[in-house]
Amino acid sequence: MDRKALRDRIGVELARTARLWRARLDERLAPLGLTQARWVTLLYLSRAEDGLPQRDLAEQIGVEGPTLVRVLDGLERMALIERRDSPCDRRAKTVHLTPAAAPILAEISRLVAGFREEILRGIPDDDLRVCERVFERMSQNVGGRNR
């Protein structure tokens, strides 16, 4: 395969693989009542020590504020998150996980780990390290943040 054909295929394959990965993961998480938007939001919140300002959470996830509000409404109805007044800005809200989110996050982690093992089966670690470096460089080239 020549250089141009290879470069033309990379973007298509990357997008296709990401779409398939998300779709299959969504299928596995659907029994928990979680859409992709919901489980991604829970994962970002689980990485925050004491909640996140709603605006920061939207930015980290990469969605607009009104979109996040709908997701948070659903998670609040499920009793997995709560919104609190910000101690720094009375106009703002911070989003926090509730204790009820812990078993859901544990199940998400278990399902994701199993799925990851399936999808990466047969791929040597050295190949994964190369892939990671390529993804990091591509992300930098399009102005993305480093991890």
Side-chain angles (χ1 to χ4, degrees):
M1 180 180 308
D2 72 349
R3 185 172 198 266
K4 182 182 180 330
L6 175 63
R7 288 174 179 266
D8 287 348
R9 284 193 49 172
I10 291 294
V12 171
E13 288 302 317
L14 180 61
R16 186 179 71 79
T17 301
R19 198 170 41 254
L20 285 169
W21 186 309
R22 280 191 311 271
R24 297 303 178 269
L25 194 52
D26 280 351
E27 289 170 3
R28 301 209 180 183
L29 295 174
L32 300 177
L34 297 173
T35 62
Q36 179 184 350
R38 287 179 179 175
W39 63 260
V40 166
T41 301
L42 291 174
L43 288 178
Y44 274 89
L45 285 170
S46 72
R47 295 175 184 151
E49 285 188 26
D50 190 31
L52 282 171
Q54 203 164 300
R55 178 180 47 234
D56 293 356
L57 181 58
E59 182 180 308
Q60 287 181 22
I61 294 171
V63 299
E64 297 294 322
T67 301
L68 181 62
V69 167
R70 289 190 296 276
V71 172
L72 295 178
D73 288 346
L75 290 170
E76 205 165 38
R77 281 192 298 276
M78 295 172 77
L80 299 176
I81 61 112
E82 64 182 12
R83 290 178 255 203
R84 301 178 192 159
D85 292 333
S86 171
C88 304
D89 181 352
R90 67 180 185 199
R91 299 167 297 168
K93 297 282 185 188
T94 57
V95 184
H96 303 263
L97 294 172
T98 66
I104 297 288
L105 285 162
E107 185 64 5
I108 290 169
S109 182
R110 186 186 72 74
L111 290 168
V112 168
F115 179 68
R116 187 181 308 115
E117 286 304 312
E118 285 177 38
I119 202 168
L120 298 177
R121 187 178 301 127
I123 302 173
D125 287 348
D126 286 344
D127 288 354
L128 292 174
R129 282 189 269 286
V130 169
C131 186
E132 183 180 36
R133 284 194 309 271
V134 169
F135 288 160
E136 285 176 3
R137 176 59 61 91
M138 289 169 66
S139 181
Q140 290 169 3
N141 288 348
V142 296
R145 295 185 200 153
N146 289 338
R147 288 185 271 164

PDB file of all heavy atoms in Angstrom, residues 35-63:
ATOM      1  N   THR A  35     -26.627   5.070  29.157  1.00  0.00           N
ATOM      2  CA  THR A  35     -26.239   5.430  27.807  1.00  0.00           C
ATOM      3  C   THR A  35     -24.766   5.805  27.848  1.00  0.00           C
ATOM      4  O   THR A  35     -24.184   5.986  28.923  1.00  0.00           O
ATOM      5  CB  THR A  35     -27.036   6.656  27.322  1.00  0.00           C
ATOM      6  OG1 THR A  35     -26.730   7.768  28.186  1.00  0.00           O
ATOM      7  CG2 THR A  35     -28.535   6.391  27.320  1.00  0.00           C
ATOM      8  N   GLN A  36     -24.173   5.957  26.673  1.00  0.00           N
ATOM      9  CA  GLN A  36     -22.769   6.374  26.624  1.00  0.00           C
ATOM     10  C   GLN A  36     -22.572   7.693  27.365  1.00  0.00           C
ATOM     11  O   GLN A  36     -21.632   7.843  28.145  1.00  0.00           O
ATOM     12  CB  GLN A  36     -22.297   6.503  25.192  1.00  0.00           C
ATOM     13  CG  GLN A  36     -20.852   6.953  25.116  1.00  0.00           C
ATOM     14  CD  GLN A  36     -20.373   7.181  23.703  1.00  0.00           C
ATOM     15  OE1 GLN A  36     -21.046   6.846  22.741  1.00  0.00           O
ATOM     16  NE2 GLN A  36     -19.213   7.756  23.572  1.00  0.00           N
ATOM     17  N   ALA A  37     -23.456   8.635  27.143  1.00  0.00           N
ATOM     18  CA  ALA A  37     -23.322   9.941  27.797  1.00  0.00           C
ATOM     19  C   ALA A  37     -23.343   9.798  29.315  1.00  0.00           C
ATOM     20  O   ALA A  37     -22.578  10.472  30.022  1.00  0.00           O
ATOM     21  CB  ALA A  37     -24.434  10.872  27.334  1.00  0.00           C
ATOM     22  N   ARG A  38     -24.171   8.903  29.820  1.00  0.00           N
ATOM     23  CA  ARG A  38     -24.266   8.728  31.267  1.00  0.00           C
ATOM     24  C   ARG A  38     -23.040   8.038  31.847  1.00  0.00           C
ATOM     25  O   ARG A  38     -22.500   8.472  32.858  1.00  0.00           O
ATOM     26  CB  ARG A  38     -25.538   7.952  31.625  1.00  0.00           C
ATOM     27  CG  ARG A  38     -26.787   8.779  31.461  1.00  0.00           C
ATOM     28  CD  ARG A  38     -28.022   7.985  31.805  1.00  0.00           C
ATOM     29  NE  ARG A  38     -29.218   8.815  31.669  1.00  0.00           N
ATOM     30  CZ  ARG A  38     -30.451   8.364  31.815  1.00  0.00           C
ATOM     31  NH1 ARG A  38     -30.663   7.097  32.099  1.00  0.00           N
ATOM     32  NH2 ARG A  38     -31.471   9.183  31.679  1.00  0.00           N
ATOM     33  N   TRP A  39     -22.601   6.941  31.226  1.00  0.00           N
ATOM     34  CA  TRP A  39     -21.462   6.251  31.831  1.00  0.00           C
ATOM     35  C   TRP A  39     -20.182   7.040  31.695  1.00  0.00           C
ATOM     36  O   TRP A  39     -19.339   7.014  32.599  1.00  0.00           O
ATOM     37  CB  TRP A  39     -21.326   4.803  31.379  1.00  0.00           C
ATOM     38  CG  TRP A  39     -21.058   4.481  29.952  1.00  0.00           C
ATOM     39  CD1 TRP A  39     -21.965   4.070  29.015  1.00  0.00           C
ATOM     40  CD2 TRP A  39     -19.794   4.486  29.280  1.00  0.00           C
ATOM     41  NE1 TRP A  39     -21.337   3.830  27.819  1.00  0.00           N
ATOM     42  CE2 TRP A  39     -20.011   4.075  27.946  1.00  0.00           C
ATOM     43  CE3 TRP A  39     -18.494   4.803  29.673  1.00  0.00           C
ATOM     44  CZ2 TRP A  39     -18.977   3.971  27.019  1.00  0.00           C
ATOM     45  CZ3 TRP A  39     -17.463   4.702  28.749  1.00  0.00           C
ATOM     46  CH2 TRP A  39     -17.716   4.286  27.433  1.00  0.00           C
ATOM     47  N   VAL A  40     -20.031   7.784  30.609  1.00  0.00           N
ATOM     48  CA  VAL A  40     -18.841   8.633  30.463  1.00  0.00           C
ATOM     49  C   VAL A  40     -18.841   9.713  31.547  1.00  0.00           C
ATOM     50  O   VAL A  40     -17.813   9.993  32.171  1.00  0.00           O
ATOM     51  CB  VAL A  40     -18.776   9.248  29.050  1.00  0.00           C
ATOM     52  CG1 VAL A  40     -17.769  10.377  28.977  1.00  0.00           C
ATOM     53  CG2 VAL A  40     -18.442   8.169  28.025  1.00  0.00           C
ATOM     54  N   THR A  41     -19.993  10.300  31.794  1.00  0.00           N
ATOM     55  CA  THR A  41     -20.108  11.326  32.837  1.00  0.00           C
ATOM     56  C   THR A  41     -19.752  10.751  34.199  1.00  0.00           C
ATOM     57  O   THR A  41     -18.995  11.368  34.971  1.00  0.00           O
ATOM     58  CB  THR A  41     -21.527  11.924  32.844  1.00  0.00           C
ATOM     59  OG1 THR A  41     -21.795  12.490  31.556  1.00  0.00           O
ATOM     60  CG2 THR A  41     -21.681  12.979  33.921  1.00  0.00           C
ATOM     61  N   LEU A  42     -20.255   9.570  34.498  1.00  0.00           N
ATOM     62  CA  LEU A  42     -19.921   8.929  35.772  1.00  0.00           C
ATOM     63  C   LEU A  42     -18.425   8.667  35.892  1.00  0.00           C
ATOM     64  O   LEU A  42     -17.835   8.878  36.957  1.00  0.00           O
ATOM     65  CB  LEU A  42     -20.701   7.618  35.931  1.00  0.00           C
ATOM     66  CG  LEU A  42     -22.199   7.742  36.146  1.00  0.00           C
ATOM     67  CD1 LEU A  42     -22.856   6.361  36.129  1.00  0.00           C
ATOM     68  CD2 LEU A  42     -22.513   8.475  37.452  1.00  0.00           C
ATOM     69  N   LEU A  43     -17.815   8.224  34.811  1.00  0.00           N
ATOM     70  CA  LEU A  43     -16.374   7.959  34.865  1.00  0.00           C
ATOM     71  C   LEU A  43     -15.567   9.229  35.110  1.00  0.00           C
ATOM     72  O   LEU A  43     -14.626   9.224  35.911  1.00  0.00           O
ATOM     73  CB  LEU A  43     -15.910   7.261  33.591  1.00  0.00           C
ATOM     74  CG  LEU A  43     -16.343   5.805  33.461  1.00  0.00           C
ATOM     75  CD1 LEU A  43     -15.876   5.217  32.135  1.00  0.00           C
ATOM     76  CD2 LEU A  43     -15.820   4.967  34.611  1.00  0.00           C
ATOM     77  N   TYR A  44     -15.928  10.306  34.447  1.00  0.00           N
ATOM     78  CA  TYR A  44     -15.210  11.572  34.684  1.00  0.00           C
ATOM     79  C   TYR A  44     -15.394  12.030  36.126  1.00  0.00           C
ATOM     80  O   TYR A  44     -14.444  12.494  36.757  1.00  0.00           O
ATOM     81  CB  TYR A  44     -15.662  12.657  33.707  1.00  0.00           C
ATOM     82  CG  TYR A  44     -14.912  12.630  32.403  1.00  0.00           C
ATOM     83  CD1 TYR A  44     -15.352  11.867  31.337  1.00  0.00           C
ATOM     84  CD2 TYR A  44     -13.740  13.368  32.241  1.00  0.00           C
ATOM     85  CE1 TYR A  44     -14.652  11.830  30.138  1.00  0.00           C
ATOM     86  CE2 TYR A  44     -13.034  13.340  31.042  1.00  0.00           C
ATOM     87  CZ  TYR A  44     -13.498  12.566  30.003  1.00  0.00           C
ATOM     88  OH  TYR A  44     -12.797  12.530  28.816  1.00  0.00           O
ATOM     89  N   LEU A  45     -16.596  11.899  36.639  1.00  0.00           N
ATOM     90  CA  LEU A  45     -16.833  12.302  38.031  1.00  0.00           C
ATOM     91  C   LEU A  45     -16.076  11.406  39.006  1.00  0.00           C
ATOM     92  O   LEU A  45     -15.621  11.880  40.054  1.00  0.00           O
ATOM     93  CB  LEU A  45     -18.326  12.276  38.347  1.00  0.00           C
ATOM     94  CG  LEU A  45     -19.132  13.422  37.762  1.00  0.00           C
ATOM     95  CD1 LEU A  45     -20.629  13.165  37.926  1.00  0.00           C
ATOM     96  CD2 LEU A  45     -18.739  14.744  38.421  1.00  0.00           C
ATOM     97  N   SER A  46     -15.920  10.137  38.666  1.00  0.00           N
ATOM     98  CA  SER A  46     -15.220   9.221  39.568  1.00  0.00           C
ATOM     99  C   SER A  46     -13.738   9.569  39.680  1.00  0.00           C
ATOM    100  O   SER A  46     -13.090   9.214  40.659  1.00  0.00           O
ATOM    101  CB  SER A  46     -15.386   7.767  39.112  1.00  0.00           C
ATOM    102  OG  SER A  46     -14.633   7.505  37.948  1.00  0.00           O
ATOM    103  N   ARG A  47     -13.225  10.279  38.696  1.00  0.00           N
ATOM    104  CA  ARG A  47     -11.809  10.682  38.720  1.00  0.00           C
ATOM    105  C   ARG A  47     -11.600  11.989  39.475  1.00  0.00           C
ATOM    106  O   ARG A  47     -10.462  12.372  39.744  1.00  0.00           O
ATOM    107  CB  ARG A  47     -11.289  10.822  37.299  1.00  0.00           C
ATOM    108  CG  ARG A  47     -11.284   9.497  36.562  1.00  0.00           C
ATOM    109  CD  ARG A  47     -10.896   9.674  35.133  1.00  0.00           C
ATOM    110  NE  ARG A  47     -10.994   8.401  34.424  1.00  0.00           N
ATOM    111  CZ  ARG A  47     -11.253   8.285  33.146  1.00  0.00           C
ATOM    112  NH1 ARG A  47     -11.426   9.361  32.402  1.00  0.00           N
ATOM    113  NH2 ARG A  47     -11.333   7.099  32.584  1.00  0.00           N
ATOM    114  N   ALA A  48     -12.670  12.671  39.808  1.00  0.00           N
ATOM    115  CA  ALA A  48     -12.580  13.934  40.556  1.00  0.00           C
ATOM    116  C   ALA A  48     -12.699  13.623  42.040  1.00  0.00           C
ATOM    117  O   ALA A  48     -13.563  12.853  42.452  1.00  0.00           O
ATOM    118  CB  ALA A  48     -13.689  14.880  40.111  1.00  0.00           C
ATOM    119  N   GLU A  49     -11.845  14.223  42.828  1.00  0.00           N
ATOM    120  CA  GLU A  49     -11.860  13.927  44.256  1.00  0.00           C
ATOM    121  C   GLU A  49     -13.112  14.428  44.961  1.00  0.00           C
ATOM    122  O   GLU A  49     -13.691  13.717  45.769  1.00  0.00           O
ATOM    123  CB  GLU A  49     -10.613  14.512  44.920  1.00  0.00           C
ATOM    124  CG  GLU A  49      -9.375  13.716  44.619  1.00  0.00           C
ATOM    125  CD  GLU A  49      -8.194  14.196  45.427  1.00  0.00           C
ATOM    126  OE1 GLU A  49      -8.383  14.755  46.513  1.00  0.00           O
ATOM    127  OE2 GLU A  49      -7.063  13.996  44.939  1.00  0.00           O
ATOM    128  N   ASP A  50     -13.502  15.641  44.655  1.00  0.00           N
ATOM    129  CA  ASP A  50     -14.648  16.204  45.376  1.00  0.00           C
ATOM    130  C   ASP A  50     -15.608  16.883  44.410  1.00  0.00           C
ATOM    131  O   ASP A  50     -15.922  18.058  44.557  1.00  0.00           O
ATOM    132  CB  ASP A  50     -14.166  17.188  46.450  1.00  0.00           C
ATOM    133  CG  ASP A  50     -15.312  17.598  47.378  1.00  0.00           C
ATOM    134  OD1 ASP A  50     -16.226  16.783  47.596  1.00  0.00           O
ATOM    135  OD2 ASP A  50     -15.287  18.744  47.871  1.00  0.00           O
ATOM    136  N   GLY A  51     -16.041  16.149  43.414  1.00  0.00           N
ATOM    137  CA  GLY A  51     -16.969  16.714  42.458  1.00  0.00           C
ATOM    138  C   GLY A  51     -16.277  17.654  41.486  1.00  0.00           C
ATOM    139  O   GLY A  51     -15.084  17.921  41.594  1.00  0.00           O
ATOM    140  N   LEU A  52     -17.064  18.125  40.536  1.00  0.00           N
ATOM    141  CA  LEU A  52     -16.555  19.044  39.522  1.00  0.00           C
ATOM    142  C   LEU A  52     -17.579  20.131  39.266  1.00  0.00           C
ATOM    143  O   LEU A  52     -18.790  19.852  39.270  1.00  0.00           O
ATOM    144  CB  LEU A  52     -16.328  18.310  38.192  1.00  0.00           C
ATOM    145  CG  LEU A  52     -15.103  17.454  38.035  1.00  0.00           C
ATOM    146  CD1 LEU A  52     -15.181  16.656  36.745  1.00  0.00           C
ATOM    147  CD2 LEU A  52     -13.852  18.316  38.045  1.00  0.00           C
ATOM    148  N   PRO A  53     -17.117  21.345  38.999  1.00  0.00           N
ATOM    149  CA  PRO A  53     -18.065  22.360  38.538  1.00  0.00           C
ATOM    150  C   PRO A  53     -18.706  21.869  37.231  1.00  0.00           C
ATOM    151  O   PRO A  53     -18.052  21.259  36.388  1.00  0.00           O
ATOM    152  CB  PRO A  53     -17.192  23.592  38.287  1.00  0.00           C
ATOM    153  CG  PRO A  53     -15.986  23.371  39.149  1.00  0.00           C
ATOM    154  CD  PRO A  53     -15.769  21.885  39.160  1.00  0.00           C
ATOM    155  N   GLN A  54     -19.985  22.120  37.092  1.00  0.00           N
ATOM    156  CA  GLN A  54     -20.727  21.640  35.936  1.00  0.00           C
ATOM    157  C   GLN A  54     -20.075  22.086  34.622  1.00  0.00           C
ATOM    158  O   GLN A  54     -19.957  21.305  33.687  1.00  0.00           O
ATOM    159  CB  GLN A  54     -22.173  22.151  36.039  1.00  0.00           C
ATOM    160  CG  GLN A  54     -23.164  21.348  35.274  1.00  0.00           C
ATOM    161  CD  GLN A  54     -24.583  21.655  35.726  1.00  0.00           C
ATOM    162  OE1 GLN A  54     -24.926  21.472  36.887  1.00  0.00           O
ATOM    163  NE2 GLN A  54     -25.402  22.107  34.799  1.00  0.00           N
ATOM    164  N   ARG A  55     -19.616  23.324  34.586  1.00  0.00           N
ATOM    165  CA  ARG A  55     -18.982  23.858  33.379  1.00  0.00           C
ATOM    166  C   ARG A  55     -17.701  23.095  33.048  1.00  0.00           C
ATOM    167  O   ARG A  55     -17.434  22.755  31.898  1.00  0.00           O
ATOM    168  CB  ARG A  55     -18.691  25.351  33.568  1.00  0.00           C
ATOM    169  CG  ARG A  55     -17.978  25.995  32.398  1.00  0.00           C
ATOM    170  CD  ARG A  55     -17.711  27.473  32.618  1.00  0.00           C
ATOM    171  NE  ARG A  55     -17.157  27.753  33.935  1.00  0.00           N
ATOM    172  CZ  ARG A  55     -17.661  28.626  34.809  1.00  0.00           C
ATOM    173  NH1 ARG A  55     -18.704  29.345  34.501  1.00  0.00           N
ATOM    174  NH2 ARG A  55     -17.094  28.817  35.975  1.00  0.00           N
ATOM    175  N   ASP A  56     -16.881  22.779  34.061  1.00  0.00           N
ATOM    176  CA  ASP A  56     -15.637  22.024  33.847  1.00  0.00           C
ATOM    177  C   ASP A  56     -15.935  20.606  33.368  1.00  0.00           C
ATOM    178  O   ASP A  56     -15.241  20.072  32.499  1.00  0.00           O
ATOM    179  CB  ASP A  56     -14.811  21.965  35.127  1.00  0.00           C
ATOM    180  CG  ASP A  56     -14.268  23.319  35.548  1.00  0.00           C
ATOM    181  OD1 ASP A  56     -14.457  24.311  34.803  1.00  0.00           O
ATOM    182  OD2 ASP A  56     -13.670  23.385  36.640  1.00  0.00           O
ATOM    183  N   LEU A  57     -16.958  19.999  33.941  1.00  0.00           N
ATOM    184  CA  LEU A  57     -17.339  18.654  33.539  1.00  0.00           C
ATOM    185  C   LEU A  57     -17.746  18.629  32.063  1.00  0.00           C
ATOM    186  O   LEU A  57     -17.301  17.759  31.308  1.00  0.00           O
ATOM    187  CB  LEU A  57     -18.479  18.148  34.425  1.00  0.00           C
ATOM    188  CG  LEU A  57     -18.990  16.738  34.149  1.00  0.00           C
ATOM    189  CD1 LEU A  57     -17.882  15.700  34.275  1.00  0.00           C
ATOM    190  CD2 LEU A  57     -20.141  16.415  35.109  1.00  0.00           C
ATOM    191  N   ALA A  58     -18.538  19.594  31.645  1.00  0.00           N
ATOM    192  CA  ALA A  58     -18.952  19.670  30.233  1.00  0.00           C
ATOM    193  C   ALA A  58     -17.737  19.806  29.330  1.00  0.00           C
ATOM    194  O   ALA A  58     -17.634  19.132  28.297  1.00  0.00           O
ATOM    195  CB  ALA A  58     -19.912  20.835  30.026  1.00  0.00           C
ATOM    196  N   GLU A  59     -16.799  20.645  29.733  1.00  0.00           N
ATOM    197  CA  GLU A  59     -15.592  20.863  28.925  1.00  0.00           C
ATOM    198  C   GLU A  59     -14.755  19.594  28.836  1.00  0.00           C
ATOM    199  O   GLU A  59     -14.277  19.226  27.760  1.00  0.00           O
ATOM    200  CB  GLU A  59     -14.763  21.994  29.526  1.00  0.00           C
ATOM    201  CG  GLU A  59     -13.522  22.322  28.719  1.00  0.00           C
ATOM    202  CD  GLU A  59     -12.740  23.459  29.355  1.00  0.00           C
ATOM    203  OE1 GLU A  59     -13.336  24.517  29.637  1.00  0.00           O
ATOM    204  OE2 GLU A  59     -11.524  23.263  29.576  1.00  0.00           O
ATOM    205  N   GLN A  60     -14.574  18.918  29.958  1.00  0.00           N
ATOM    206  CA  GLN A  60     -13.761  17.699  29.967  1.00  0.00           C
ATOM    207  C   GLN A  60     -14.379  16.607  29.092  1.00  0.00           C
ATOM    208  O   GLN A  60     -13.672  15.899  28.377  1.00  0.00           O
ATOM    209  CB  GLN A  60     -13.576  17.182  31.389  1.00  0.00           C
ATOM    210  CG  GLN A  60     -12.632  18.027  32.201  1.00  0.00           C
ATOM    211  CD  GLN A  60     -12.442  17.485  33.601  1.00  0.00           C
ATOM    212  OE1 GLN A  60     -12.662  16.302  33.867  1.00  0.00           O
ATOM    213  NE2 GLN A  60     -12.032  18.347  34.518  1.00  0.00           N
ATOM    214  N   ILE A  61     -15.689  16.479  29.164  1.00  0.00           N
ATOM    215  CA  ILE A  61     -16.377  15.449  28.378  1.00  0.00           C
ATOM    216  C   ILE A  61     -16.444  15.852  26.909  1.00  0.00           C
ATOM    217  O   ILE A  61     -16.461  15.005  26.026  1.00  0.00           O
ATOM    218  CB  ILE A  61     -17.792  15.194  28.941  1.00  0.00           C
ATOM    219  CG1 ILE A  61     -17.677  14.586  30.335  1.00  0.00           C
ATOM    220  CG2 ILE A  61     -18.598  14.291  28.026  1.00  0.00           C
ATOM    221  CD1 ILE A  61     -18.995  14.485  31.065  1.00  0.00           C
ATOM    222  N   GLY A  62     -16.485  17.152  26.659  1.00  0.00           N
ATOM    223  CA  GLY A  62     -16.548  17.632  25.283  1.00  0.00           C
ATOM    224  C   GLY A  62     -17.962  17.817  24.783  1.00  0.00           C
ATOM    225  O   GLY A  62     -18.249  17.557  23.615  1.00  0.00           O
ATOM    226  N   VAL A  63     -18.860  18.259  25.683  1.00  0.00           N
ATOM    227  CA  VAL A  63     -20.246  18.529  25.293  1.00  0.00           C
ATOM    228  C   VAL A  63     -20.619  19.944  25.698  1.00  0.00           C
ATOM    229  O   VAL A  63     -19.962  20.560  26.535  1.00  0.00           O
ATOM    230  CB  VAL A  63     -21.245  17.528  25.928  1.00  0.00           C
ATOM    231  CG1 VAL A  63     -20.948  16.105  25.479  1.00  0.00           C
ATOM    232  CG2 VAL A  63     -21.249  17.623  27.444  1.00  0.00           C
TER     233      VAL A  63
END
